[in-house]
Amino acid sequence: MSEQPTPEAGGVHVAGQVTFLVCVADDGHSEVAARFAALRARNSGGHVVLLHVMQPPEFQHWAAVGELMRQETREEAELLLQGMAAKVTEVTGAAPSTAVREGGIGDEILGHIAENDAINLLVVGAAPPDQGRGSLISWLAGQLAGQLNIPLVVVPGSLSDQQLQDLT
């Protein structure tokens, strides 16, 4: 029996297997997006990949301080992904793949997709309008969408668990 390619190994798409790439941050709407992807993956026999993009530290005056900041940010990202992965595993019964990348968010999302042919859908959570956010969504819609070769799914961060269940 041959081993199936996996998204984290740069695998290739296998017909009938859907892989959801979820961009996560430390916010509620990322949790809603991850839950949406987990429910869809569970119901379709798919897989979830969680991606967190770290912004490079702005403080570059002393290299050692900049490196310490980078390490602390990476540790926080790993903890965030562990927590989110546990929630996805509860829903799907399978551990998601996780990745941390550093750089500009759009470039890193595109890079991760380009390196992982098995990824079929990009899932992002949208902040409720009253939070005054949405820079990622605006950027994705305006800049990235034309460069994507996979569908972009924007999940409203205000969806209830029942609404998620109904949609998936």
Side-chain angles (χ1 to χ4, degrees):
M1 178 174 194
S2 66
E3 194 172 324
Q4 293 294 327
T6 58
E8 67 274 15
V12 295
H13 172 69
V14 177
Q17 293 181 352
V18 178
T19 299
F20 301 84
L21 174 62
V22 184
C23 296
V24 298
D26 191 11
D27 53 45
H29 49 278
S30 289
E31 285 188 36
V32 173
R35 183 152 177 82
F36 171 85
L39 289 165
R40 289 292 304 134
R42 180 187 71 195
N43 294 338
S44 66
H47 182 73
V48 176
V49 178
L50 302 174
L51 171 66
H52 178 76
V53 178
M54 300 178 356
Q55 297 299 310
E58 292 181 23
F59 187 79
Q60 296 294 327
H61 188 67
W62 293 301
V65 173
E67 185 56 33
L68 180 61
M69 291 171 69
R70 179 175 283 113
Q71 287 174 340
E72 289 174 355
T73 302
R74 179 168 283 279
E75 288 170 8
E76 290 171 5
E78 294 290 346
L79 287 173
L80 170 68
L81 287 174
Q82 285 175 13
M84 197 79 68
K87 292 175 183 177
V88 168
T89 302
E90 283 178 29
V91 173
T92 64
S97 304
T98 62
V100 175
R101 295 177 69 113
E102 182 179 335
I105 192 164
D107 292 337
E108 295 306 321
I109 291 170
L110 287 172
H112 196 77
I113 292 168
E115 294 167 12
N116 297 279
D117 291 336
I119 294 172
N120 307 103
L121 294 163
L122 173 60
V123 181
V124 296
D130 61 338
Q131 289 186 4
R133 290 180 164 163
S135 60
L136 173 61
I137 304 302
S138 298
W139 190 87
L140 285 169
Q143 302 294 318
L144 187 61
Q147 298 176 50
L148 280 174
N149 59 0
I150 60 173
L152 168 63
V153 178
V154 178
V155 179
S158 59
L159 292 179
S160 69
D161 193 55
Q162 185 59 53
Q163 288 172 309
L164 289 171
Q165 294 283 343
D166 292 346
L167 286 170
T168 58

